[in-house]
Amino acid sequence: MILNYKINKENHYITFCKSNKLDLISKSIEKIHSDKNILFIFDSKVEKRIVDLIHEELKLSGCNIYTFSCEGGKVNKNEKLLFKIIDFLIEKKFTKKSIIISFGGGVVGDVSALASSLYLRGLYYYCIPSTMTSMVDSSIGGKTAINYRKITNSVGTYYHPKNIFILEQVILNLPDREFFSGFAEVIKCGLIDKNNILKYLIKHKKNLIKRNFSNLTKICSLALKKKLKFFLNDIYEKDSRLMLNFGHTFAHAIEMAVENNLKKDFIRHGEAVGLGILCELFYANKSKTKLYYNVHNLLKEFYLPTLLDLQKIKVNSKKIQNDIYKNIFLDKKKIDKYPRYINIKNIGKPSIREIKDFDFLNDVIIEIIK
């Protein structure tokens, strides 16, 4: 299945590839007028067998393939990795007609796309997401970024991949935690607009958990189409696209607090988004409504946390709590003295609001820390 969309009159694609359809990658590359040089950037932690399969397929395009291995953890979403990639492009004399292909999660995708947008002011970029979160969210939309000075996504551009390839082999080989983490973004898409996403999740839960590719293709396409609806008329996030940040004001604050205190990858982005959704529902309604509990239960159905469980590690939970509070005020949506979040009281009716009740904000944060 292929989803086609246009940005500034240029065609872009999302291609779902079954195990026997990897030739769609080389065929897509053959159609563009490149200089036949490809930099294949991949996360060193993804399964080598799949990396090799993609590499062999890329050779069939008749291009010169250069490989670049890197670690995709959030601690590496920084200027060091960015300039390593750019230095490599300079060393190998890549041109504006050259191609970057990334194979990894949100970190590898974001940094590779940012390098693609900056080097010679832009070259061809293709994305092969390796996590569920990147498949249903970060791979599409054109957002590129690194974290700088301990602020999430503080340096970035908008640059769209020519084609995104979602591979059955990748989904089948994902660790359970990485697989389920992506469903938080799917649930988010089911809440910000009236659609069939939540009903589909509930009705086909067993098949989705078993990783049936047909069902996963359907739920991914539903979520991606919803994201397309919100960003195509607001590429630079001035209005409607902001709704896609539902849950993220709190999620990014949680991620930054945990990373800065623990110095390790304790929480996945999708897990933080699930917690952030609960926080924003709680804050918006000033209580735990029926919708809050429905979402709470749905997160649990897909093995996502509903509390930030710090009991198993030696960490000052009070410090984490205070840092989450402070990080809320660093959120990129903030345009005045008050941070903004996405307010939802009923499914399909999101609105942008400011966080002004600081006492209750603290109560919300305390509620999600165990």
Side-chain angles (χ1 to χ4, degrees):
M1 184 176 78
I2 299 175
L3 298 179
N4 180 21
Y5 59 99
K6 287 182 181 289
I7 298 173
N8 298 327
K9 297 182 180 180
E10 183 180 346
N11 284 320
H12 297 262
Y13 306 91
I14 305 166
T15 305
F16 292 86
C17 301
K18 286 187 69 65
S19 298
N20 61 345
K21 291 291 183 181
L22 282 185
D23 61 330
L24 293 172
I25 300 175
S26 57
K27 286 178 180 178
S28 174
I29 292 168
E30 289 168 3
K31 291 178 182 178
I32 64 172
H33 300 292
S34 74
D35 66 3
K36 302 297 183 180
N37 288 315
I38 294 176
L39 178 57
F40 178 38
I41 303 172
F42 62 92
D43 188 333
S44 59
K45 293 182 180 178
V46 298
E47 188 169 335
K48 186 178 183 300
R49 180 178 60 86
I50 302 177
V51 171
D52 291 342
L53 278 173
I54 296 170
H55 188 261
E56 289 303 310
E57 183 58 39
L58 292 176
K59 287 181 180 178
L60 297 178
S61 67
C63 296
N64 304 311
I65 315 299
Y66 299 88
T67 58
F68 186 103
S69 174
C70 59
E71 292 188 18
K74 283 177 277 190
V75 295
N76 296 310
K77 190 177 176 180
N78 55 38
E79 70 278 11
K80 292 179 182 178
L81 177 56
L82 173 66
F83 283 103
K84 277 184 181 179
I85 295 171
I86 291 175
D87 285 343
F88 191 96
L89 296 170
I90 293 171
E91 179 187 339
K92 299 300 180 182
K93 296 181 172 57
F94 272 51
T95 73
K96 287 180 68 67
K97 293 292 186 179
S98 301
I99 302 167
I100 285 182
I101 300 175
S102 70
F103 177 38
V107 171
V108 172
D110 276 9
V111 182
S112 299
L114 181 55
S116 300
S117 74
L118 295 176
Y119 181 70
L120 301 179
R121 296 191 180 130
L123 42 68
Y124 292 115
Y125 174 57
Y126 288 76
C127 177
I128 305 174
S130 72
T131 66
M132 276 297 289
T133 300
S134 56
M135 288 176 195
V136 300
D137 184 63
S138 63
S139 62
I140 189 175
K143 286 186 179 180
T144 81
I146 57 171
N147 303 334
Y148 185 64
R149 296 180 71 90
K150 298 182 179 180
I151 301 175
T152 299
N153 298 330
S154 54
V155 177
T157 61
Y158 290 90
Y159 199 71
H160 302 269
K162 182 69 176 174
N163 204 329
I164 299 161
F165 299 98
I166 296 175
L167 309 185
E168 182 180 23
Q169 293 102 319
V170 174
I171 291 177
L172 293 178
N173 286 278
L174 282 174
D176 284 345
R177 191 176 177 192
E178 291 291 351
F179 175 69
F180 290 112
S181 181
F183 283 92
E185 295 284 4
V186 176
I187 291 168
K188 175 200 76 178
C189 288
L191 291 167
I192 60 176
D193 196 31
K194 290 185 177 179
N195 52 63
N196 295 321
I197 290 176
L198 299 182
K199 288 182 180 178
Y200 194 90
L201 282 172
I202 295 167
K203 182 177 179 181
H204 298 280
K205 183 187 77 172
K206 289 183 179 180
N207 281 345
L208 290 167
I209 288 173
K210 290 178 180 177
R211 310 194 193 195
N212 178 282
F213 191 63
S214 176
N215 292 112
L216 287 169
T217 297
K218 177 67 174 179
I219 198 64
C220 285
S221 63
L222 286 173
L224 291 168
K225 285 177 182 177
K226 196 54 55 185
K227 186 164 184 177
L228 285 169
K229 174 184 174 180
F230 278 95
F231 90 75
L232 280 180
N233 295 318
D234 184 25
I235 297 293
Y236 301 108
E237 202 172 42
K238 304 296 183 183
D239 185 25
S240 62
R241 183 170 183 165
L242 285 167
M243 305 310 169
L244 292 166
N245 286 288
F246 178 47
H248 285 63
T249 297
F250 283 84
H252 287 150
I254 291 166
E255 286 181 287
M256 284 191 289
V258 170
E259 288 165 23
N260 292 337
N261 282 277
L262 300 182
K263 308 299 181 185
K264 62 179 181 179
D265 194 12
F266 178 76
I267 188 168
R268 303 291 187 270
H269 175 67
E271 295 168 345
V273 169
L275 296 176
I277 288 171
L278 292 178
C279 288
E280 293 190 22
L281 286 173
F282 190 21
Y283 185 87
N285 295 280
K286 297 297 185 285
S287 65
K288 293 182 178 179
T289 61
K290 181 180 178 181
L291 178 58
Y292 175 96
Y293 283 111
N294 286 342
V295 173
H296 179 280
N297 293 337
L298 189 56
L299 290 169
K300 292 184 75 172
E301 291 280 344
F302 284 91
Y303 303 99
L304 286 160
T306 54
L307 289 169
L308 184 61
D309 189 355
L310 302 175
Q311 291 186 348
K312 297 178 182 178
I313 55 176
K314 293 180 180 179
V315 63
N316 186 334
S317 59
K318 184 68 175 177
K319 176 73 164 51
I320 297 282
Q321 174 193 324
N322 290 338
D323 283 357
I324 293 173
Y325 183 93
K326 291 175 185 176
N327 292 340
I328 293 284
F329 292 84
L330 297 175
D331 188 77
K332 63 182 175 62
K333 294 184 294 302
K334 180 170 172 271
I335 56 175
D336 202 349
K337 64 179 179 179
Y338 299 112
R340 296 192 296 172
Y341 76 107
I342 308 305
N343 177 300
I344 292 183
K345 290 183 168 62
N346 297 293
I347 293 175
K349 295 183 178 180
S351 59
I352 304 166
R353 292 286 186 271
E354 292 180 326
I355 296 175
K356 294 183 177 181
D357 188 341
F358 299 154
D359 288 336
F360 189 65
L361 169 61
N362 208 43
D363 292 341
V364 171
I365 296 168
I366 292 171
E367 192 68 25
I368 59 120
I369 296 178
K370 183 178 177 183

